Structures are given as C-alpha cells and as structure tokens.
Amino acid sequence: MSDFRVPTLTRRAFIASAAALSAGAMLPLQSSARAAGIREFRLRAKHGRAQIAPEPYGDTAVWCYDGKLPGPEIRVRKGERLRIAVENALGEETTVHWHGVRVPNAMDGVPHLTQAPVAPGETFTYEFDAVDAGTFWYHPHQRSFEQVGRGLYGPLIVEEVDPVRVDRDVTWVLSDWRLTKTAEMRDDFGSRHDMMHNGRVGNTVTINGRVPDVFAVRKGERIRLRLINAANARISGLDFGSHAPVVIALDGQAVEPHAPEGGLVVLGPAMRADIILDMAADAGSRVSVIDRFYKDLEYRLVDLAYDDQPLRDTVPDWPVALPPNPLPEPDLASAARHEVTFNGGMMGAMVMQEMGGSMGDGSSGAMGGMMGSMGGMMNMMHSGGIWFINGVAAEGHIMDPMLTLARDKSHVIAMTNATAWHHPIHLHGHSFRVISRDGKPTRHREWQDTVLMSPRERVEIAFVADNPGDWMLHCHVLEHQAAGMMGVFRVA
Ligand code: C2O
Ligand code: CU
C-alpha cells in the first residue's frame, strides 16, 4: 500500500488542525475538514493481468488501477481532505467517480456533465473532503459497463474518529466475472441480451479479485466486515451460516445495529454493508458463507476456517453502534414530492399493464401517457433505448434535468419500478433515507446512496438537496445504465 500513499501533513496544517480541535464542533464542516490535513494519492488506470480463477488456471487480462485487483484501498480519517491524481494509461477516455462520497459537483467524475473525460495519457486530479466516515468505493463513469467490468474499481474507506472496537477491520470487495474455460475474460461487454435482461451476470465470483477458498478466523474474534458489491449486475444475498451478522452501516452510513432481514445480507451492485461478525463456532471448524440471492443458484462463496487455537472463549460484548455522519435531516411535512418511474426491459409492457398503466389516453400520473400504453412501449423500444426513466432513455451523460430540486429544501422522491427486474438505483452527491416500501414505513429509515428495488416495487426516499449542481440518478446494473436507465437531477 505504501507505494501509492503520500501523506503530507504539513506543519501549517498540523497547527491548523490543533486549532480546529480546540474550536470543537463549532466550525463548519468544510473548513474543519480542510484544516485536518491533505492526503495525497495516485492512481494509474491501465491494462494488467490478475489471477482471478484459482490455479491451475492461468491469469486473466484485466483493466485495473495500479496493476492491482481491486485497486488500492484508499484509507483516510473522517475530516481529512483527499487529493487523488488519476493517470489514464488506458487506450480510451476515463473518469473516476467516488461512489457514495458527498463531493462537490466538479469532483464527481461524470464525463461531460461534471468534467471533460480524461484522455489517454492525461492526468486529472480530484480533491475533496471526507465529510462522512464509512465504506465507499471508486470506479470509472465512462463506459462503466466495460471499464468496471474489466476490473477498474477499488475501495475507499473513511475511518471514524472513534471507530467501534473490533479485533480486525476487513474489506471484501465482491465481483463477478464472465470467464471462458481457459480463464480469459469473455469480451461480450454490452451485449443486447444482457442489457435487456438482468445485466452481465458472470460465472465466477471473487473476493478482493480472487476466487477465495478459505478465510482464516479464530473463535471469539470480532471482525468488522466491510462488504462492497462491485459487480456489474450480480446481486448477492450472503448467508453466514451459524453466525449472526449485525448490520451497523449501509452504504457507508450508520444504521441502528440490526440482524439482516431473513438472515441474508443483500447487496445489489454498488451497495455496501458494514457488519459485525462474531466468530462463535468451534475452534478447528469450518462454516461456509453461501450466496442465496438467486433461487436455485446458491453457491458457496468461501469457508470461514477456524484456527485450532481460540482467541477467546466467548464473543466480546463491546458496543457496536456507529456515530452518525453529519447528514441534514429531511422534514417530511414540508418536503416537495416528486415521482420517478422506471420502465422498459423484457416484459416491461406487461408489467405496466398489470400496474395499471393507462392505454395511451395521455393522462398524467406515475405511468400515464405514452409510458402507459403498449403502443407507446413499442415506440420506446424502437427509439433504440431499452430502459426509461419517466419515459426517457439516456443516450449519454448530457441530458436535460428530469427533476429540479430546490436547494437546501427537503424532497421526497416516490420511485416506481414498473419492470420485471431488480434495479439498484443510485443518486449522486447525496445520501437519502429510504422511508417506505410499497407504502409501508421502513423499520430503520436507513440512509443509502443506492437502493435496491424489487420488480414492481414502489420505494420512497427523502433527503435535503444541499449539494448544488447537476447529478446523475441511474440504475447501477451497468448494462441497464448503458441502455438508457439514467437521468439527471438538478439541485439549484
Ligand atoms: Cu457508482 Cu453513477 O455510480
Ligand atoms: Cu437496472
């Protein structure tokens, strides 16, 4: 790690940070962050090779950062400022998006919308404050379906000033590859079939870039496991066997510690979960972690292999709740309301009929007008787009905003998934509370930046639009995004 990390805490910054400490919480966020010091990093996007499949398979040609898969873990402390020089040694344009980090618009890494794409041979330097502690990640926003799919991504961890006590803090970046029998990358990126169905789901799942065999643990050990789903399209639902994971953060944001619903830690593409895992099985035993998200397609992800020597006899009882990040609380009573409807894909027209779409009478409403009619659907298909947000299929990153949100005001966006497929919907520049699903209030009102919507589901999210600029809202199944499921919202 040390080869890409150049901490530069200058004497001036040190003095300033001491002053910031004594001034306490009175300082506004950005300036106290600035005072805490700048951490400098370098990332080089380039072609490389990685041992994805287990031996005796050979290695696989990938695109990656610094020759590593996943890219180097960028790890800073909350309140620090990051300066990251990204060099493009690929044969095509790229950018880097800091997924989930509440950055200023110009640092968001969206080609054409927030910056000119970084041409081959060029370097672009990103600079922003780590305002929130949590588990984030970075990836290109240019032709993501291929650039991310070939291996360009890495974890970005912002430590709490006062982290919860654990024995080990471990990051698992999950990814999914479509490999040939000789472990070469299938190069059918962006196929129309993947775009119309559930995206590029592969045949090889990795943890931190390798097909794992065992993960060594000790009885009595407490691990904070930071899970990041960096797959293009695969949704994971992890079952930790006899262990009882406790979710303490989602998408980097603290949540009331709780057992995951049905015992499965479910992560759509781009989503993260921090879990506390107490190693409560017997010394010398093995417990499999099984991914059960897709019915009848369960597979063993990895085995937790217990050492013969316990670390301690019982699991610790240290507190697990994380301190909250400084997120503005939306006021639901005064919030402006907006409707967003997703449709398209195979069987899309059928779902719209089922959900009560009108037959092309031009009426308004969530699925009214052209979106509601079978004929309208056919017209949309002929436009070349496959997926639509409020009836529009994106063709690039420059679009008229589909929503304009008054700055510093509270907003509720009611989102309807009028398709037969799952979609992890991501908003840039903000975290939002998930306040209801199918009309029922959520138990934890969790803060997220990416919310997984089931087929036909309606989800309401709420947030204060406090970050000015034009931001993306899109599905993080990268084939869906490429096939139109993307829009812009403006905060002004
Ligand atoms: Cu993780 Cu718009 O992206
Ligand atoms: Cu989608």
Side-chain angles (χ1 to χ4, degrees):
M1 296 269 128
S2 50
D3 54 329
F4 76 99
R5 224 181 244 204
V6 193
T8 54
L9 189 63
T10 60
R11 183 175 155 72
R12 197 176 139 266
F14 175 75
I15 291 168
S17 92
L21 271 180
S22 58
M26 302 304 292
L27 281 174
L29 251 181
Q30 296 285 323
S31 59
S32 72
R34 205 152 287 149
I38 294 186
R39 301 282 307 276
E40 297 200 21
F41 302 89
R42 255 187 178 278
L43 290 174
R44 190 156 189 260
K46 58 175 191 176
H47 295 191
R49 299 196 71 87
Q51 184 75 41
I52 294 177
E55 263 116 29
Y57 290 103
D59 57 6
T60 303
V62 296
W63 300 357
C64 58
Y65 293 108
D66 286 17
K68 297 191 175 89
L69 196 66
E73 181 170 285
I74 296 178
R75 207 174 177 101
V76 300
R77 176 75 54 101
K78 181 180 174 185
E80 287 182 317
R81 188 168 179 81
L82 293 90
R83 185 181 290 152
I84 308 164
V86 177
E87 185 193 337
N88 181 5
L90 302 169
E92 62 180 55
E93 294 175 335
T94 194
T95 63
V96 177
H97 172 59
W98 314 95
H99 186 115
V101 184
R102 296 187 294 142
V103 300
N105 191 255
M107 297 292 120
D108 201 41
V110 179
H112 307 292
L113 188 71
T114 70
Q115 68 169 99
V118 189
E122 284 185 357
T123 296
F124 184 91
T125 301
Y126 295 88
E127 188 167 329
F128 53 87
D129 295 329
V131 293
D132 295 330
T135 302
F136 304 101
W137 66 300
Y138 57 90
H139 64 78
H141 222 281
Q142 172 79 359
R143 299 184 63 252
S144 312
F145 65 95
E146 180 164 2
Q147 293 194 5
V148 177
R150 287 189 183 273
L152 284 163
Y153 56 79
L156 195 173
I157 309 297
V158 182
E159 294 174 345
E160 295 85 18
V161 175
D162 245 329
V164 291
R165 180 172 173 195
V166 292
D167 294 308
R168 265 198 292 167
D169 183 327
V170 175
T171 305
W172 282 6
V173 183
L174 303 175
S175 197
D176 175 36
W177 313 87
R178 192 176 281 172
L179 301 181
T180 65
K181 287 198 173 67
T182 52
E184 288 306 311
M185 188 95 62
R186 288 265 304 268
D187 61 4
D188 53 349
F189 288 95
S191 84
R192 194 163 169 86
H193 184 273
D194 288 340
M195 286 178 167
M196 294 190 75
H197 296 81
N198 56 352
R200 183 184 173 88
V201 174
N203 53 19
T204 306
V205 175
T206 56
I207 295 178
N208 297 338
R210 297 201 64 141
V211 172
D213 178 23
V214 297
F215 179 74
V217 300
R218 295 178 72 188
K219 178 179 165 64
E221 190 180 18
R222 172 167 287 184
I223 293 178
R224 174 180 184 165
L225 187 56
R226 300 171 184 266
L227 295 163
I228 302 173
N229 186 349
N232 277 31
R234 180 184 288 273
I235 304 169
S236 291
L238 301 187
D239 175 350
F240 288 85
S242 56
H243 300 90
V246 175
V247 179
I248 59 169
L250 292 168
D251 290 354
Q253 304 295 345
V255 65
E256 187 189 343
H258 64 276
E261 212 184 302
L264 288 193
V265 181
V266 174
L267 293 174
M271 296 170 67
R272 289 89 64 213
D274 288 35
I275 62 174
I276 294 288
L277 209 51
D278 281 324
M279 297 303 158
D282 293 336
S285 69
R286 272 196 183 210
V287 180
S288 295
V289 179
I290 313 274
D291 183 350
R292 299 191 189 283
F293 185 79
Y294 300 99
K295 290 274 161 291
D296 304 323
L297 292 171
E298 291 91 355
Y299 65 94
R300 185 189 71 95
L301 176 64
V302 66
D303 276 357
L304 304 176
Y306 278 73
D307 193 89
D308 291 333
Q309 295 305 315
L311 178 66
R312 56 176 79 81
D313 286 330
T314 53
V315 295
D317 59 355
W318 309 326
V320 295
L322 288 171
N325 284 317
L327 292 159
E329 188 61 46
D331 172 33
L332 298 187
S334 71
R337 291 188 58 90
H338 314 270
E339 295 275 347
V340 169
T341 301
F342 303 96
N343 41 39
M346 280 305 283
M347 299 179 290
M350 213 170 69
V351 173
M352 285 192 300
Q353 297 292 315
E354 241 174 69
M355 290 189 76
S358 64
M359 286 302 289
D361 61 3
S363 69
S364 56
M367 284 163 292
M370 141 178 134
M371 288 173 284
S373 76
M374 189 73 80
M377 187 66 199
M378 289 304 133
N379 291 339
M380 290 195 295
M381 304 290 277
H382 289 142
S383 78
I386 296 173
W387 301 96
F388 305 84
I389 305 184
N390 288 353
V392 177
E395 276 168 26
H397 287 88
I398 314 275
M399 313 174 63
D400 290 333
M402 54 178 222
L403 291 177
T404 298
L405 308 183
R407 186 178 170 183
D408 293 329
K409 295 281 187 289
S410 294
H411 299 271
V412 169
I413 303 183
M415 305 195 294
T416 302
N417 177 6
T419 81
W421 306 91
H422 283 89
H423 304 286
I425 302 297
H426 173 47
L427 266 64
H428 283 213
H430 301 78
S431 288
F432 48 79
R433 277 195 189 279
V434 179
I435 57 171
S436 82
R437 288 182 179 269
D438 286 334
K440 278 189 24 206
T442 55
R443 176 121 178 248
H444 301 288
R445 305 179 75 242
E446 51 274 22
W447 287 104
Q448 298 199 229
D449 56 58
T450 307
V451 59
L452 183 62
M453 298 184 72
S454 298
R456 303 168 179 80
E457 193 177 29
R458 296 174 196 258
V459 173
E460 283 182 314
I461 62 171
F463 62 103
V464 176
D466 64 345
N467 204 351
D470 282 359
W471 303 98
M472 304 307 300
L473 177 161
H474 64 88
C475 179
H476 224 289
V477 170
L478 300 176
E479 292 72 27
H480 292 178
Q481 177 192 13
M485 207 166 188
M486 174 161 79
V488 169
F489 68 99
R490 174 168 295 167
V491 176

